Amino acid sequence: MKKAAFIGVGNMGGALARAACRAVGPDQVTVFNRTPAKAEALAAELGCGLVDSAADAVWSAEYIFLGVKPNGLRPLLEELAPQLRDRHRVGEDKVLVSMVAGVTIEDMRPHLAGAGYYVPIVRIMPNTCVAVGKGMTALCAREAEEPYIRGVEELLSSTGRLERIPEDLSDQFAAVAGCGPAFIYPYIEALADGGVMAGLPRKQAMEYAAQMVMGAAAMVLESGKHPGQLKDEVCSPGGSTIAGVAELERGGLRSAAINAVLASWRRGAELGK
């Protein structure tokens, strides 16, 4: 059974801690946060372990998830390095799992010199949908051994879909899957607004729009058909659906979506420098 410790339990760290509890049980999960109240509340909710320091988190588990802000990662790694060294000397190798945006595995390495050995690192990029088990998470682990990667996948097995990708595609992945939910939410809201204008009550319009988007996404993933083919299958000649599609084309939906992804990709690359 894999044991996981989460250092930093904000929105993403907390969501992944919940997922790990679902996957391996709360008795295998430990949490720590610089603001103790947040970790205490999460531990009480999940029934998982609680520690008083980042160093204690290293001692408590094999997989150490790092959920801090980018500017807090360097001092955290330097704080953890002696603990990693001490555990390595007694035959306990740890795996660092970073969810810190914009910081590569190579960037992390110099700050782990105090560990005295080549600490396995797996970098993950989850999106916020992991909170409901419908997430899309990328794993970058070109240097970690296969058993360690599979261990991370086991701990995240209830988060949704997982995909191993080369790290040089991480910014592109983030622009589509990481930023993408923020592109879809206004679209769902706009569809619901249209429904309200047509006479639907607001609550029902929002539910119908959200369920439709979820179902359409499932059709793409599960049918194996191209989205264009699926679109054609809904559109009858001269019908109401193709009339609506024509309005989306007139409004520039496709180009707006493409430009949103490219803008996010470029900005993400800038922030990572």
Side-chain angles (χ1 to χ4, degrees):
M1 188 71 71
K2 306 295 186 296
K3 289 188 175 183
F6 291 82
I7 299 176
V9 289
N11 289 338
M12 189 62 72
L16 295 181
R18 290 182 179 91
C21 286
R22 292 194 300 269
V24 297
D27 57 325
Q28 303 298 311
V29 176
T30 301
V31 296
F32 167 75
N33 199 76
R34 296 291 184 189
T35 305
K38 186 174 291 187
E40 290 167 2
L42 184 63
E45 172 196 333
L46 299 177
C48 65
L50 176 69
V51 292
D52 296 326
S53 69
D56 288 343
V58 171
W59 286 62
S60 71
E62 179 184 0
Y63 291 82
I64 317 300
F65 285 76
L66 309 178
V68 299
K69 295 186 182 300
N71 61 5
L73 184 58
R74 174 180 176 178
L76 175 62
L77 293 174
E78 292 174 352
E79 176 186 352
L80 297 184
Q83 312 301 325
L84 294 168
R85 179 196 62 215
D86 291 346
R87 303 320 296 163
H88 177 67
R89 286 176 175 173
V90 296
E92 293 183 11
D93 285 350
K94 308 292 182 174
V95 181
L96 297 184
V97 186
S98 173
M99 63 185 90
V100 181
V103 182
T104 67
I105 294 172
E106 185 178 358
D107 292 336
M108 296 173 64
R109 284 278 168 222
H111 309 298
L112 290 169
Y117 76 107
Y118 207 69
V119 181
I121 300 175
V122 175
R123 184 181 171 198
I124 62 172
M125 283 156 286
N127 67 10
T128 57
C129 304
V130 300
V132 293
K134 301 292 184 182
M136 182 71 241
T137 300
L139 293 86
C140 304
R142 56 191 174 87
E143 299 172 343
E145 296 178 5
E146 182 65 22
Y148 294 140
I149 303 172
R150 289 201 301 270
V152 175
E153 290 173 335
E154 178 185 338
L155 288 164
L156 301 183
S157 60
S158 71
T159 61
R161 289 179 177 249
L162 304 170
E163 181 81 11
R164 300 186 193 185
I165 68 169
E167 195 172 19
D168 60 8
L169 292 180
S170 60
D171 289 337
Q172 295 90 326
F173 171 88
V176 175
C179 303
F183 307 155
I184 297 302
Y185 298 140
Y187 181 62
I188 293 173
E189 183 183 27
L191 291 171
D193 286 346
V196 171
M197 290 181 69
L200 285 173
R202 167 65 63 181
K203 182 179 179 181
Q204 284 92 325
M206 195 71 74
E207 178 184 347
Y208 302 158
Q211 178 65 33
M212 178 279 299
V213 169
M214 184 169 67
M219 287 287 287
V220 173
L221 292 172
E222 296 176 21
S223 72
K225 296 179 180 179
H226 189 279
Q229 179 182 348
L230 292 169
K231 178 262 296 178
D232 289 346
E233 291 174 358
V234 184
C235 294
S236 303
S240 58
T241 305
I242 194 64
V245 169
E247 285 300 314
L248 290 175
E249 294 290 354
R250 188 174 295 116
L253 176 70
R254 290 173 186 264
S255 61
I258 291 169
N259 289 334
V261 170
L262 292 177
S264 294
W265 168 56
R266 294 187 186 107
R267 183 57 177 155
E270 290 171 2
L271 293 173
K273 291 180 181 178

